[in-house]
Amino acid sequence: MGSTEDLDYPQIIVQYSNGFLISKVMFTACELGVFDLLLESGKPLSSDAIAAHLGASTMGMKRLLDACVGLKLLAVEMTQEGALYRNTEISNIYLTKSSTKSQYHIMMYYSNTVYLCWQYLADAVRSDEEMLKFMAGQNSVWSICGRDVLAAFDLSPFTQIYDLGGGGGALAQECVSLYPNSTVTIYDLPKVVRVAKEQFVSPEERQITFHEGDFFNNSIPEAELYILSKILHDWDDDKCKQLLAKVYKACKPGGGVLLVESLLNEDKSGPVETQLYSLNMLVQTEGKERTAAEYSKLLEAAGFGVIQVKRTGKLYDAVLGRKL
């Protein structure tokens, strides 16, 4: 990759930021005995068989195995019975306990000791408000991906926009820059709104306003377009349907909802970043990453139609549903 491409989209930075996710996938597969089981079985196994042998969740194991395939630690073949997984040569040599070149024990030391210690590295440098850091981090993502998801479809007909869970306002700022006739209201929790006003959105930014509340428990005001960026992946299907139904009810006829999420391939074979994020959802939330078809199904269940999908080629993609 040339330097111009690096500056346009910092692929190497994205790879570095996902480094700890990659490590933990490998550590976890070692700890659970995935590589040992596949070596001992002498044949490829299904995710259900692996989960059953190891006493693991079928859903969680499928995501773990797919991420290992993306990382080239496992290989998968599709048969009439479904996907069957096997070790790659490098995993047989270095990640199984019985190998003379096994790295299993150092992996467990890193996973159970070093990994836990490193979460406190920043404390040696400074103390900062966790929410402020999170919001700044979200803003940095939209500085490189925001315009792509907002330009995926022509949103200029929508002048009254609500950004649900809009946080620090970076996506809202990209939106009013791209669509100067629009106004964007950031709907978020009171403490988030307070920090956004103090730290991220200037009072001179007249096209951006705020609405304090919890959109799951409070009403959602009427608007032409609602943006849900990185919201639905936090929740299970039932919670997503509940929120989308509220959005549909509030949405003006002819309006719509824009979902901004990292989309899995329809066969869930990748992208590897999204597979890693789905595992992260398993650890941190009740949600998951989904395919375009799965998001479309959620939108349809809420009443939205004329659903369009656009992959941006970057971390986040766009799905637009309309209220007819």
Side-chain angles (χ1 to χ4, degrees), residues 38-259:
L38 288 171
L39 177 65
E40 292 162 8
S41 74
K43 63 179 181 180
L45 298 175
S46 68
S47 61
D48 285 351
I50 295 170
H53 273 93
L54 300 178
S57 153
T58 55
M59 178 186 68
M61 182 57 69
K62 179 70 168 65
R63 293 194 211 176
L64 179 66
L65 295 174
D66 286 341
C68 285
V69 171
L71 295 174
K72 298 182 173 27
L73 300 176
L74 294 177
V76 64
E77 57 185 87
M78 301 305 298
T79 69
Q80 290 183 337
E81 290 75 32
L84 297 178
Y85 298 85
R86 60 176 173 81
N87 286 344
T88 55
E89 187 175 1
I90 196 169
S91 297
N92 274 335
I93 296 172
Y94 295 108
L95 300 181
T96 57
K97 283 184 277 192
S98 60
S99 170
T100 57
K101 295 186 178 181
S102 176
Q103 299 297 299
Y104 173 85
H105 295 293
I106 191 65
M107 294 288 178
M108 292 303 92
Y109 174 74
Y110 267 75
S111 181
N112 298 324
T113 302
V114 178
Y115 188 90
L116 300 179
C117 293
W118 271 61
Q119 67 179 302
Y120 303 109
L121 179 63
D123 292 343
V125 182
R126 69 166 185 262
S127 176
D128 203 355
E129 186 179 351
E130 206 59 33
M131 184 172 64
L132 179 61
K133 290 189 290 185
F134 177 78
M135 291 168 68
Q138 294 298 306
N139 279 1
S140 67
V141 170
W142 299 133
S143 71
I144 60 171
C145 297
R147 187 157 290 250
D148 296 272
V149 295
L150 293 170
F153 309 105
D154 179 15
L155 304 180
S156 59
F158 307 114
T159 58
Q160 184 188 15
I161 301 171
Y162 261 70
D163 186 358
L164 302 183
L171 196 61
Q173 289 170 322
E174 290 286 350
C175 190
V176 296
S177 171
L178 191 60
Y179 302 105
N181 293 326
S182 68
T183 60
V184 179
T185 299
I186 297 171
Y187 188 140
D188 219 316
L189 299 172
K191 60 183 180 180
V192 176
V193 168
R194 175 181 55 78
V195 173
K197 287 180 175 179
E198 292 174 356
Q199 301 287 337
F200 299 112
V201 180
S202 167
E204 283 74 42
E205 190 69 77
R206 304 293 183 187
Q207 290 171 267
I208 297 177
T209 59
F210 293 89
H211 182 108
E212 297 183 1
D214 177 341
F215 47 72
F216 274 110
N217 297 312
N218 303 134
S219 63
I220 297 177
E222 185 180 67
E224 296 172 356
L225 179 71
Y226 299 88
I227 299 175
L228 280 76
S229 60
K230 298 173 65 180
I231 300 296
L232 295 188
H233 75 163
D234 285 341
W235 307 101
D236 63 21
D237 286 356
D238 288 342
K239 205 72 178 282
C240 290
K241 289 175 183 177
Q242 175 189 336
L243 177 57
L244 288 172
K246 287 185 70 173
V247 170
Y248 183 83
K249 184 177 179 180
C251 186
K252 290 183 177 181
V257 59
L258 179 71
L259 307 183

